[in-house]
Amino acid sequence: MKPSEFIKMYTLFDSLVEDLKYNEVEKQLKLTLELCQWKQSFYVETEPEMQLGILIFSDVTFYKTEPQLFNLDSSEILELDLLPCDGEDECIKMVLNGLDDVIVLSIQSNEVEWKEIKTEDGQ
């Protein structure tokens, strides 16, 4: 789905980013995160409150981090905004609470997908 559609469907505030991998050749950015399930409009109380998964941005035409070097340690998502962008792609700015400072991710992409990671107990 388009990033604008994703932002309307999911609430990422307070979710925790565990890992980030950018593949420049495949033009793909993968964020491993613990999604706050209980903040989602579709949440069912019998489900776990947190869900491990991967947020995959495909066809990434621009990706930048500020600062350039940083460490993730269950970095909390503080803000997620859709920004004006040229062309068909959409631009997202994600602000994370880093170990020493805030981390700002700027991503220009046409497609984003959420994939849950199932644990051994099936959750």
mmCIF file of all heavy atoms in Angstrom, residues 1-10 90:
data_model
loop_
_atom_site.group_PDB
_atom_site.id
_atom_site.type_symbol
_atom_site.label_atom_id
_atom_site.label_comp_id
_atom_site.label_asym_id
_atom_site.label_seq_id
_atom_site.Cartn_x
_atom_site.Cartn_y
_atom_site.Cartn_z
ATOM 1 N N MET A 1 0.835 -1.177 0.000
ATOM 2 C CA MET A 1 0.000 0.000 0.000
ATOM 3 C C MET A 1 0.882 1.243 0.000
ATOM 4 O O MET A 1 2.047 1.166 0.347
ATOM 5 C CB MET A 1 -0.963 -0.028 1.183
ATOM 6 C CG MET A 1 -0.347 0.223 2.551
ATOM 7 S SD MET A 1 -1.535 0.194 3.921
ATOM 8 C CE MET A 1 -1.875 -1.532 4.017
ATOM 9 N N LYS A 2 0.310 2.352 -0.381
ATOM 10 C CA LYS A 2 1.046 3.614 -0.379
ATOM 11 C C LYS A 2 1.299 4.042 1.066
ATOM 12 O O LYS A 2 0.512 3.734 1.955
ATOM 13 C CB LYS A 2 0.247 4.689 -1.109
ATOM 14 C CG LYS A 2 0.158 4.457 -2.602
ATOM 15 C CD LYS A 2 -0.031 5.786 -3.296
ATOM 16 C CE LYS A 2 0.182 5.683 -4.767
ATOM 17 N NZ LYS A 2 1.564 5.606 -5.165
ATOM 18 N N PRO A 3 2.416 4.746 1.322
ATOM 19 C CA PRO A 3 2.701 5.217 2.681
ATOM 20 C C PRO A 3 1.564 6.026 3.298
ATOM 21 O O PRO A 3 1.273 5.873 4.484
ATOM 22 C CB PRO A 3 3.970 6.063 2.493
ATOM 23 C CG PRO A 3 4.659 5.414 1.344
ATOM 24 C CD PRO A 3 3.551 5.005 0.415
ATOM 25 N N SER A 4 0.876 6.849 2.518
ATOM 26 C CA SER A 4 -0.246 7.640 3.053
ATOM 27 C C SER A 4 -1.374 6.732 3.535
ATOM 28 O O SER A 4 -2.003 6.998 4.569
ATOM 29 C CB SER A 4 -0.762 8.630 2.015
ATOM 30 O OG SER A 4 -1.153 7.952 0.831
ATOM 31 N N GLU A 5 -1.634 5.648 2.822
ATOM 32 C CA GLU A 5 -2.658 4.680 3.238
ATOM 33 C C GLU A 5 -2.224 3.967 4.513
ATOM 34 O O GLU A 5 -3.039 3.726 5.411
ATOM 35 C CB GLU A 5 -2.912 3.656 2.131
ATOM 36 C CG GLU A 5 -3.471 4.253 0.862
ATOM 37 C CD GLU A 5 -3.445 3.290 -0.318
ATOM 38 O OE1 GLU A 5 -2.570 2.398 -0.361
ATOM 39 O OE2 GLU A 5 -4.309 3.442 -1.192
ATOM 40 N N PHE A 6 -0.937 3.618 4.580
ATOM 41 C CA PHE A 6 -0.411 2.943 5.760
ATOM 42 C C PHE A 6 -0.572 3.815 7.006
ATOM 43 O O PHE A 6 -0.997 3.340 8.056
ATOM 44 C CB PHE A 6 1.062 2.578 5.547
ATOM 45 C CG PHE A 6 1.660 1.877 6.719
ATOM 46 C CD1 PHE A 6 1.491 0.518 6.883
ATOM 47 C CD2 PHE A 6 2.353 2.585 7.690
ATOM 48 C CE1 PHE A 6 2.014 -0.136 7.985
ATOM 49 C CE2 PHE A 6 2.889 1.943 8.796
ATOM 50 C CZ PHE A 6 2.716 0.577 8.943
ATOM 51 N N ILE A 7 -0.235 5.097 6.890
ATOM 52 C CA ILE A 7 -0.324 6.021 8.023
ATOM 53 C C ILE A 7 -1.762 6.159 8.514
ATOM 54 O O ILE A 7 -2.010 6.308 9.708
ATOM 55 C CB ILE A 7 0.273 7.402 7.644
ATOM 56 C CG1 ILE A 7 1.794 7.281 7.557
ATOM 57 C CG2 ILE A 7 -0.118 8.470 8.638
ATOM 58 C CD1 ILE A 7 2.484 8.533 7.067
ATOM 59 N N LYS A 8 -2.727 6.093 7.591
ATOM 60 C CA LYS A 8 -4.140 6.166 7.987
ATOM 61 C C LYS A 8 -4.592 4.893 8.703
ATOM 62 O O LYS A 8 -5.420 4.929 9.598
ATOM 63 C CB LYS A 8 -5.031 6.406 6.766
ATOM 64 C CG LYS A 8 -4.918 7.802 6.217
ATOM 65 C CD LYS A 8 -5.761 7.955 4.974
ATOM 66 C CE LYS A 8 -5.525 9.311 4.345
ATOM 67 N NZ LYS A 8 -6.172 9.436 3.040
ATOM 68 N N MET A 9 -4.020 3.748 8.313
ATOM 69 C CA MET A 9 -4.445 2.461 8.859
ATOM 70 C C MET A 9 -3.745 2.099 10.171
ATOM 71 O O MET A 9 -4.345 1.494 11.048
ATOM 72 C CB MET A 9 -4.198 1.355 7.832
ATOM 73 C CG MET A 9 -4.721 0.001 8.263
ATOM 74 S SD MET A 9 -4.478 -1.279 7.006
ATOM 75 C CE MET A 9 -5.657 -0.754 5.783
ATOM 76 N N TYR A 10 -2.463 2.463 10.315
ATOM 77 C CA TYR A 10 -1.663 2.062 11.477
ATOM 78 C C TYR A 10 -1.228 3.268 12.300
ATOM 79 O O TYR A 10 -0.921 4.317 11.757
ATOM 80 C CB TYR A 10 -0.396 1.310 11.032
ATOM 81 C CG TYR A 10 -0.657 -0.066 10.495
ATOM 82 C CD1 TYR A 10 -0.948 -0.267 9.153
ATOM 83 C CD2 TYR A 10 -0.607 -1.179 11.326
ATOM 84 C CE1 TYR A 10 -1.178 -1.533 8.646
ATOM 85 C CE2 TYR A 10 -0.837 -2.452 10.833
ATOM 86 C CZ TYR A 10 -1.121 -2.619 9.491
ATOM 87 O OH TYR A 10 -1.354 -3.874 9.007
ATOM 88 N N GLU A 90 5.933 8.823 -2.235
ATOM 89 C CA GLU A 90 5.522 9.593 -1.058
ATOM 90 C C GLU A 90 6.683 9.641 -0.074
ATOM 91 O O GLU A 90 7.498 8.724 -0.020
ATOM 92 C CB GLU A 90 4.278 8.974 -0.420
ATOM 93 C CG GLU A 90 3.094 9.039 -1.349
ATOM 94 C CD GLU A 90 1.808 8.497 -0.746
ATOM 95 O OE1 GLU A 90 1.861 7.738 0.240
ATOM 96 O OE2 GLU A 90 0.753 8.816 -1.280
#
